[in-house]
Amino acid sequence: MPAPTTSTGSNRALEANRARALTEQADRCSVMLEAILAALRSPRLGDRAARQAATEVATNTLVELRTWTIEHRAAVVEPVTGAFERLRRDLGPLLRYGELDVQFVEPPANGRALPGEVAHAARAIVRNAVLTFADAGQARRVRIEWGCDGLNLLVGIRDDGAGDIDAHDDSLRPIVEQVSHLDGTMRVASTPGWGTEMNITIPLDPPEPALDGSDLTDREREIMRQVASGARNREIADEIGVSEHTVKFHVSKLLRRTGTRNRAELAALLH
């Protein structure tokens, strides 16, 4: 008897899940490396204490990564409070030895459980935002708040940095792509000298996107071809004679429609 075949749609879903798992682990490794650097650079720790702290961070993170891998295989939904507590643990090493003072505003205990994909993406979004603020070197305080209105996860992140970050900043591109992938919305408001505030809304029941090129414009087809070839936004803009922001808009739209979360997944899907 011939072996059962797997549909193209199932293969795509499997590959997308694997890519999300790899991205989640990459984000955790980024936080670990930032925490190690924070410990080694901390003026409060001597050389020996800094090395011990860095070793502790690496060891604990490796254990957490193994635990997460096991849990991820079975996770379908996560209580909103549990997902938020995991975020707090993820950021713990960075906050322990870094200079940022982070305030966590707990979500309602009776909030609706989050689909696994939404919970993972929301944690990655917050981690990326905190790392962006930390890299800028201006912020001293960050406030993180999660809420739920029954239909959407509401994420608020605010810092007291220089207030010079906007929605088109390259450092926010991974966040923009993640929010776009989940059909969410993102608003960034910065006030010079007062800081930056991000407000993100992520649907808890995002529609299943599908690839359908029948109604794409000629420009969108050309941008898809360029992305598949590995061209970056600036190269695409120069090639087809549009602004880089126009290319970013079309790429975000294509990510939503194809169900991919970044350019690498989109290029792989097109190939």
Side-chain angles (χ1 to χ4, degrees):
M1 178 181 295
T5 59
T6 303
S7 68
T8 301
S10 297
N11 286 336
R12 287 177 181 169
L14 180 60
E15 291 302 319
N17 287 335
R18 287 175 178 170
R20 281 191 287 273
L22 289 174
T23 301
E24 179 81 3
Q25 290 204 5
D27 288 339
R28 287 171 175 263
C29 290
S30 295
V31 172
M32 175 185 69
L33 293 174
E34 289 282 349
I36 290 174
L37 289 175
L40 295 176
R41 294 170 177 170
S42 175
R44 302 194 303 268
L45 301 175
D47 289 346
R48 182 175 181 181
R51 289 195 298 272
Q52 290 176 338
T55 301
E56 178 186 353
V57 169
T59 301
N60 290 340
T61 304
L62 289 174
V63 172
E64 290 174 3
L65 282 171
R66 293 191 184 101
T67 303
W68 176 87
T69 300
I70 295 172
E71 293 176 348
H72 179 75
R73 293 171 182 166
V76 178
V77 296
E78 296 185 42
V80 63
T81 52
F84 192 78
E85 180 59 30
R86 182 176 292 186
L87 169 67
R88 189 198 297 269
R89 294 199 304 268
D90 288 349
L91 291 175
L94 175 61
L95 305 180
R96 187 181 309 158
Y97 303 111
E99 300 297 327
L100 282 178
D101 175 20
V102 178
Q103 298 177 333
F104 294 93
V105 180
E106 298 283 348
N110 60 350
R112 178 182 167 186
L114 306 179
E117 181 182 21
V118 172
H120 298 155
R123 287 193 293 268
I125 286 168
V126 174
R127 289 197 301 268
N128 284 334
V130 171
L131 291 175
T132 297
F133 294 149
D135 289 342
Q138 299 292 328
R140 291 294 176 265
R141 290 185 296 276
V142 175
R143 185 174 187 268
I144 300 170
E145 180 176 6
W146 278 16
C148 183
D149 63 5
L151 297 176
N152 303 282
L153 174 64
L154 310 175
V155 179
I157 312 166
R158 183 182 180 89
D159 81 332
D160 64 347
D164 56 359
I165 300 176
D166 62 43
H168 301 296
D169 195 296
D170 284 342
S171 63
L172 298 185
R173 185 164 59 85
I175 298 176
V176 172
E177 291 181 351
Q178 287 171 321
V179 173
S180 175
H181 168 70
L182 294 172
D183 284 335
T185 60
M186 174 176 172
R187 183 177 65 84
V188 180
S190 293
T191 304
W194 290 89
T196 299
E197 181 175 6
M198 300 181 195
N199 288 290
I200 299 165
T201 301
I202 303 175
L204 298 183
D205 299 301
E208 284 293 331
L211 177 62
D212 181 6
S214 61
D215 58 348
L216 292 179
T217 66
D218 290 341
R219 175 166 292 170
E220 288 171 337
R221 290 192 181 93
E222 175 62 18
I223 290 176
M224 287 180 68
R225 187 183 69 80
Q226 295 280 351
V227 169
S229 72
R232 307 305 298 171
N233 287 345
R234 170 50 59 190
E235 296 170 335
I236 298 174
D238 292 341
E239 177 69 21
I240 65 178
V242 299
S243 71
E244 189 172 359
H245 288 315
T246 298
V247 175
K248 289 181 180 179
F249 169 78
H250 284 300
V251 171
S252 294
K253 183 179 177 181
L254 291 169
L255 290 171
R256 287 197 304 272
R257 297 185 61 183
T258 58
T260 51
R261 62 182 298 177
N262 54 48
R263 299 170 68 91
E265 287 185 20
L266 178 59
L269 177 61
L270 297 177
H271 282 301

